[in-house]
Amino acid sequence: MIAITCALVTAAVLCMLFASTRSIGVLCVTVLCFIYPIPVTLILIGIGLIYYKGRII
């Protein structure tokens, strides 16, 4: 299970960097949310808050 998680996280991060593969990155994050709903959701909310605070200041 660790190997699948590492592969999905790596694929999500790398695919989010390029516009042409961004949909694959979103798909990887979606699969991670289905596998680990609470931790991934909390991490995404945390990243969103950090990004939101950084954009305001």
Side-chain angles (χ1 to χ4, degrees), residues 51-57:
Y51 181 74
Y52 182 71
K53 278 188 101 168
R55 297 288 282 176
I56 289 177
I57 297 174

Side-chain angles (χ1 to χ4, degrees), residues 7-53:
L8 284 171
V9 169
T10 303
V13 169
L14 290 176
C15 289
M16 289 289 190
L17 294 175
F18 305 104
S20 61
T21 58
R22 195 155 293 145
S23 60
I24 298 170
V26 171
L27 181 68
C28 290
V29 171
T30 304
V31 170
L32 280 169
C33 282
F34 280 124
I35 295 174
Y36 305 109
I38 293 174
V40 173
T41 304
L42 291 175
I43 289 170
L44 290 174
I45 289 171
I47 291 171
L49 287 174
I50 291 170
Y51 181 74
Y52 182 71
K53 278 188 101 168

